[in-house]
């Protein structure tokens, strides 16, 4: 049997495009290496306890939001709880809450970091966020050929016209000039929030990207009931052929067909959509054209990655879903001053009753973890584990003896499970922006790519935007 579409990788990207293709009546098979779907957005069991692997928040599920549009198109509904406020940001003695309501948040930010320009600044951030997503359906991005690049440029014309004042300015310069006299503590407050969404520091991105990163909590954000992996399971629940525990081993291209050798046999398909990381996918191909295609983008790999701490803690206190802790210096073996800490919801029966299951993540560089001797790696991992655990306990007033399980993951761990060390996808920086980034189609017939290392960006809204774009490109 020859399949119409085979999608490799059941992360957000692979699940989204497979679900969209199925909803549009196409024949599709989705294969995933692991026994659970989700990749960076999966949920796993460690010694009997459930944890979210990486992603813990969903944005874009508000009325009119792109993630909501995806689930509506597919005709399924994930179980979510609204997280409002979205995040509590703890810096020194300050605890500033990211309220969804703009005016409430402006009052809050003025309470902790008083400045006369806040009103104007946050209204600008809010308006950029709203205007960007209002235009989303018209974006089309392909860099398959010169002609397609020109068509893409035209589709972005409304965006370029609307946001021109913010596209060509480095965000750091823009913010500094805007505020006039910004203090370093407030700048760190902004920078920490920008980094977790834009995956790059303020001096590397334009203000437009920074505003999108700062503004996402003005939309509703959600907590996934049952773990983030359950959202991907729901998304793909109508697809008749989803093969888990089915790693792709190699691909041969013959004429118009792709022959996939997988752990569960051969799949022959006319169209192949890779949902694996762009930077680590060429290993499955011996086709020269495809290997050359991947090589074109190798230099876009920023090697950015993550270190994760997972903890199970007994407590009858009430915690918010998410905290961001900000320190005044970059932590050792990391790239960041800030740690994102997510708690399970006490009503969520996927997690043990009376306990919180915590996923905490911090940016690192994969090269800080690869190539170390086994003993050096072990010591470094345990040092950072202890440092982050101590910081969380101190800042959130958790008793150390209430921790019943605690372990960490490094870029090496992610490589072992999901075949990637670069996490967080492509950052849209000033030197790394469309049309330099991979699009969802390629110059190779029937060969597509989705996920956070191709258009549009990381996280639920960014990856889903890429899946919708891929559908547009498939349907011409
Ligand atoms: C620590 C961390 C925290 C994050 N927090 C958030 C958050 O709170 N909210 C948010 O929206 N985003 C968050 N993100 C970003 C988001 O998780 C990612 O951008 C997104 O999940 C990437 O999805 P993807 O489909 O591109 O890739 P991946 O998640 O990498 O999925 C690729 C899939 O391919 C599979 N695969 C690999 N090799 C093979 C093979 N040979 N055969 C078959 N399958 C294979 C993998 O197992 C994996 O399931 C976070 C990311 C990280 C790393």
């Amino acid at each position: 049997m020859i399949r119409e579409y085979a999608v490799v990788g059941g992360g957000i990207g692979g699940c989204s495009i497979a679900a969209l293709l199925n909803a549009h009546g196409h024949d599709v098979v989705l294969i995933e290496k692991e026994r659970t779907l989700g990749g960076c957005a999966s949920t796993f069991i460690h010694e009997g306890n459930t944890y979210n692997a990486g992603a813990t928040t969903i944005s874009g599920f508000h009325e009119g939001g792109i993630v909501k549009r995806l689930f509506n198109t597919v005709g399924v509904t994930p179980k979510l709880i609204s997280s409002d406020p979205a995040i509590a940001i703890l810096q020194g003695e300050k605890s500033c809450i990211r309220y969804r309501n703009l005016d409430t948040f402006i009052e809050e930010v003025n309470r902790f970091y008083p400045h006369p320009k806040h009103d104007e600044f946050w209204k600008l951030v809010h308006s950029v966020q709203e205007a960007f997503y209002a235009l989303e359906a018209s974006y089309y991005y392909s860099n398959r050929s010169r002609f397609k690049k020109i068509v893409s440029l035209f589709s972005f014309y409304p965006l370029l016209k609307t946001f021109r004042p913010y596209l060509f300015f480095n965000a750091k310069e823009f913010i500094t000039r805007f505020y006039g006299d910004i203090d370093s503590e407030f700048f760190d407050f902004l920078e920490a929030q920008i980094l977790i969404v834009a995956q790059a520091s303020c001096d590397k991105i334009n203000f437009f990207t920074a505003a999108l990163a700062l503004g996402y909590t003005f939309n509703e954000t959600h907590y996934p009931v049952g773990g983030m992996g359950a959202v991907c399971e729901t998304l793909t629940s109508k697809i008749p052929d989803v093969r888990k525990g089915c790693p792709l081993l190699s691909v041969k291209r013959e004429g118009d067909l792709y022959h996939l050798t997988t752990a569960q046999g051969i799949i022959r398909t006319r169209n192949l959509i890779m949902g694996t990381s762009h930077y680590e996918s060429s290993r499955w191909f011996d086709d020269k054209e495809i290997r050359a295609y991947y090589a074109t983008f190798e230099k876009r790999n920023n090697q950015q990655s993550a270190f994760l701490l997972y903890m199970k803690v007994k407590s009858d206190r009430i915690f918010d879903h998410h905290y961001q802790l900000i320190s005044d210096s970059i932590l050792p073996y990391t790239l960041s001053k800030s740690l994102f800490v997510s708690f399970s919801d006490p009503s969520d029966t996927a997690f043990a009753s009376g306990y919180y299951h915590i996923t905490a993540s911090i940016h690192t560089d994969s090269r800080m973890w690869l190539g170390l001797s086994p003993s050096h790696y072990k010591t470094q991992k345990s040092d950072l584990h202890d440092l982050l655990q101590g910081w969380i306990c101190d800042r959130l007033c958790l008793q150390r003896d209430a921790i019943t399980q605690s372990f960490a993951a490094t870029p090496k761990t992610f490589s072992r499970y999901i075949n990637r060390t670069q996490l967080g996808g492509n950052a849209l920086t000033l030197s790394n922006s469309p049309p330099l980034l991979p699009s969802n189609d390629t110059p190779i017939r029937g060969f597509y790519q989705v996920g956070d290392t191709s258009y549009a960006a990381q996280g639920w809204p960014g990856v889903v935007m890429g899946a919708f774009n891929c559908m547009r490109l498939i349907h011409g």
Side-chain angles (χ1 to χ4, degrees), residues 8-15 31-34 36-41 53-59 199 228 246-249 275-277 284 305-308 322 340 342 359 361-362 414 417-420 423-425 450-453 457-461 463:
V8 176
I12 297 175
C15 290
I31 69 165
E32 164 55 42
K33 170 183 173 287
E34 291 296 308
T36 49
L37 298 175
C40 296
T56 52
T57 65
I58 301 188
S59 61
Q199 303 295 317
M228 192 60 92
C246 180
L248 172 71
L249 303 174
T276 49
S277 163
W284 296 298
S305 195
F307 182 93
L308 274 293
H322 309 290
F340 196 78
S342 298
T359 297
S361 60
I362 188 161
F414 279 87
Y417 288 104
I418 63 166
N419 278 330
R420 62 186 288 186
L423 300 167
V450 291
D452 63 9
T453 50
Q458 66 101 39
W460 273 98
V463 176

Side-chain angles (χ1 to χ4, degrees), residues 228-294:
M228 192 60 92
V231 180
C232 288
E233 298 288 344
T234 305
L235 180 56
T236 53
S237 55
K238 288 196 170 178
I239 305 173
D241 197 356
V242 177
R243 303 184 193 175
K244 299 177 203 165
C246 180
L248 172 71
L249 303 174
S250 64
V251 182
K252 276 206 181 317
R253 185 159 66 121
E254 279 175 18
D256 277 354
L257 288 187
Y258 294 87
H259 298 250
L260 278 56
T261 304
T262 78
Q264 295 178 20
I266 305 274
I267 297 170
R268 293 192 299 154
T269 181
R270 288 191 200 292
N271 297 287
L272 173 58
I273 305 182
M274 297 301 289
T276 49
S277 163
H278 218 276
Y279 303 119
E280 307 187 45
S281 291
S282 71
R283 67 178 95 170
W284 296 298
F285 297 87
D286 60 6
D287 185 283
K288 283 203 182 86
E289 202 183 350
I290 294 180
R291 289 182 77 93
Y293 167 74
Y294 278 125

Side-chain angles (χ1 to χ4, degrees), residues 47-259:
E47 294 173 0
N49 295 305
T50 305
Y51 295 93
N52 283 317
T56 52
T57 65
I58 301 188
S59 61
F61 202 82
H62 54 278
E63 220 35 72
I66 188 163
V67 180
K68 177 120 177 152
R69 185 147 59 83
L70 168 74
F71 281 86
N72 287 349
T73 309
V74 173
V76 292
T77 310
K79 285 198 185 123
L80 303 174
I81 302 174
S82 177
S83 300
D84 189 21
I87 318 173
I89 301 174
L90 314 185
Q91 185 179 29
E93 295 309 306
K94 298 182 167 73
S95 172
C96 183
I97 309 295
R98 281 290 329 227
Y99 291 106
R100 194 186 330 152
N101 180 280
L102 176 65
D103 294 328
T104 316
F105 174 65
I106 292 173
E107 264 176 43
E108 176 79 354
V109 81
N110 260 320
R111 196 152 73 87
F112 290 104
Y113 308 89
H115 199 289
K117 297 285 270 187
H118 281 326
D119 196 62
E120 199 185 332
F121 181 78
W122 291 101
K123 281 184 175 154
L124 173 62
V125 165
H126 189 266
S127 65
V128 169
Q129 174 80 14
E130 283 207 320
F132 175 75
Y133 283 105
L135 291 173
E136 185 281 325
S138 66
Y139 305 147
Y140 165 101
Y141 179 57
S142 165
N143 62 10
R144 181 152 66 92
S145 62
R146 205 166 284 170
F147 173 70
K148 293 278 181 184
K149 280 186 193 184
I150 293 169
V151 177
S152 305
L153 188 67
F154 272 104
S155 90
F156 280 96
Y157 179 71
L159 180 144
L160 296 173
K161 200 169 137 214
T162 312
F163 299 114
R164 194 162 40 99
Y166 315 122
L167 290 173
F168 304 103
F169 284 106
N170 164 311
K172 186 173 183 178
E173 273 171 32
F174 185 95
I175 293 169
T176 312
R177 208 153 4 99
F178 191 97
Y179 274 99
D181 56 345
I182 188 167
D183 75 36
S184 61
E185 194 185 34
F186 179 64
F187 190 79
D188 283 354
F189 170 86
L190 295 180
E191 176 95 298
Q193 292 171 75
I194 289 169
L195 182 62
I196 53 165
V197 182
Q199 303 295 317
S201 55
C202 274
D203 54 351
K204 298 206 173 61
I205 58 177
N206 58 28
F207 178 70
F208 169 69
T209 308
L212 287 182
L214 285 172
Y216 91 99
T217 48
F218 292 130
N219 289 318
E220 216 175 342
T221 59
H222 288 93
Y223 167 96
V225 177
M228 192 60 92
V231 180
C232 288
E233 298 288 344
T234 305
L235 180 56
T236 53
S237 55
K238 288 196 170 178
I239 305 173
D241 197 356
V242 177
R243 303 184 193 175
K244 299 177 203 165
C246 180
L248 172 71
L249 303 174
S250 64
V251 182
K252 276 206 181 317
R253 185 159 66 121
E254 279 175 18
D256 277 354
L257 288 187
Y258 294 87
H259 298 250

